[in-house]
């Protein structure tokens, strides 16, 4: 039987108005499904009119302007429903879902569902949990002493994966999927006997350890930033009294 990294995989990515999962919005999203390495992927794209202005800095990253989104984007409520249904379908069929820096994209989707559907991502996944593969967590654990940045662009360069059209949700999702396959092959001796479900559990542990290490480094350097150890989804913020 083929190892998970040679089998069916899906990948999910978003482009957003910013980097705060509690307040920023999704402006585009994509789901890529590939049945086997080298086969043509099936791609679903969503374009969203977020209902709020898109900061110039975000537009510089992904190229999506207020005017374009207002003309061509759909309202968030039906889009978030479709995205959640699409991810739930991956969970139902047991297809692993690649998400680069999963706590960002999945938490942002969860907050959008709460904002526009009075629901949560967890409610869509009650019958079957996601099996998430996060190339950022995998690479950082398996090659922890390697120097340098680990953005998607950096990982693509390191693993020899082509990234065309960076910061397009579909292009980034496909690149993350290919990086994950490459990580699996490079570290086959450590990964081939693990199932996606086992890897999902292990990544939560690895990410928490990585977060503790980064938090300790921030403390030593006097940085006040707080690192959330939760993976692949950040918990709700406590409601103010």
């Amino acid at each position: 039987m083929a190892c998970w990294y040679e089998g069916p995989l899906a990948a999910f990515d978003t482009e957003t108005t910013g980097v705060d999962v509690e307040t920023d919005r999704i402006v585009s999203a994509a789901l890529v499904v590939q049945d086997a390495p080298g086969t043509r992927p099936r791609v679903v794209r969503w374009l969203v009119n977020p209902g709020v202005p898109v900061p110039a800095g975000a537009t510089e990253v992904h190229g999506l302007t207020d005017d374009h989104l207002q003309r061509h984007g759909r309202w968030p409520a039906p889009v978030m429903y479709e995205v959640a249904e699409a991810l739930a379908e991956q969970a139902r069929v047991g297809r692993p879902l690649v998400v680069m820096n999963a706590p960002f994209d999945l938490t942002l989707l969860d907050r959008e569902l709460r904002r526009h559907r009075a629901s949560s991502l967890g409610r869509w996944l009650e019958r079957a949990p996601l099996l998430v593969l996060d190339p950022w967590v995998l690479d950082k654990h398996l090659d922890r002493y390697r120097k340098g940045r680990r953005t998607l662009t950096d990982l693509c360069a390191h693993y020899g994966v082509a990234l065309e059209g960076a910061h397009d949700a579909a292009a980034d999702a496909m690149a993350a999927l290919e990086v994950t396959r490459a990580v699996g092959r490079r570290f086959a001796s450590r990964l081939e006997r693990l199932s996606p479900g086992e890897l999902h559990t292990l990544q939560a542990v690895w990410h928490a350890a990585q977060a503790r290490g980064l938090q300790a480094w921030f403390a030593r350097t006097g940085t006040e930033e707080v690192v959330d150890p939760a993976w692949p989804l950040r918990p709700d913020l406590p409601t103010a009294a």
Side-chain angles (χ1 to χ4, degrees):
M1 182 179 294
C3 299
W4 59 264
Y5 48 83
E6 302 293 359
L9 292 178
F12 175 67
D13 188 70
T14 65
E15 297 300 329
T16 68
T17 60
V19 297
D20 188 331
V21 297
E22 303 299 338
T23 59
D24 279 306
R25 311 297 176 89
I26 293 172
V27 296
S28 71
L31 177 69
V32 173
V33 178
Q34 187 182 48
D35 293 327
T39 61
R40 185 178 185 132
R42 301 185 295 279
V43 181
V44 182
R45 295 177 173 86
W46 294 272
L47 192 65
V48 187
N49 179 354
V52 299
V54 180
T59 296
E60 288 178 6
V61 172
H62 49 59
L64 298 172
T65 64
D66 281 327
D67 181 67
H68 181 78
L69 293 171
Q70 289 167 9
R71 289 173 179 270
H72 304 288
R74 298 167 57 204
W75 289 113
V79 172
M80 300 312 151
Y81 177 89
E82 291 174 13
V83 172
E85 279 288 303
L87 297 195
E89 176 61 19
Q90 306 312 307
R92 284 192 290 269
V93 301
R95 186 179 293 116
L97 182 72
V98 173
V99 190
M100 173 75 180
N101 189 17
F104 178 79
D105 293 87
L106 295 183
T107 303
L108 191 55
L109 173 59
D110 175 79
R111 301 319 191 244
E112 288 279 55
L113 288 166
R114 294 170 187 272
R115 184 177 293 120
H116 297 291
R117 303 292 311 188
S119 187
S120 69
L121 183 57
R123 290 188 63 181
W124 257 271
L125 303 173
E126 287 175 341
R127 295 186 179 182
L130 281 175
L131 302 175
V132 178
L133 299 171
D134 188 334
W136 189 85
V137 174
L138 291 170
D139 172 74
K140 193 171 184 180
H141 177 77
L142 295 163
D143 198 1
R144 67 182 69 184
Y145 300 114
R146 188 177 81 249
K147 302 295 185 181
R149 290 158 50 87
R150 298 178 194 248
T151 67
L152 180 59
T153 300
D154 297 317
L155 294 185
C156 285
H158 181 71
Y159 287 99
V161 171
L163 175 54
E164 299 178 2
H167 299 298
D168 168 82
D172 286 357
M174 190 67 217
L177 187 152
E178 293 291 357
V179 166
T180 301
R181 292 198 191 279
V183 171
R185 294 177 186 126
R186 184 167 299 187
F187 297 98
S189 63
R190 300 167 66 180
L191 296 177
E192 62 185 356
R193 296 184 181 180
L194 294 172
S195 69
E198 290 169 328
L199 262 180
H200 180 103
T201 301
L202 285 170
Q203 285 170 102
V205 176
W206 297 342
H207 180 272
Q210 293 162 5
R212 289 193 298 270
L214 183 57
Q215 193 71 75
W217 185 80
F218 281 159
R220 290 194 300 271
T221 58
T223 303
E224 296 183 357
E225 184 175 347
V226 176
V227 184
D228 195 323
W231 182 96
L233 182 68
R234 295 178 187 172
D236 302 342
L237 285 176
T239 303

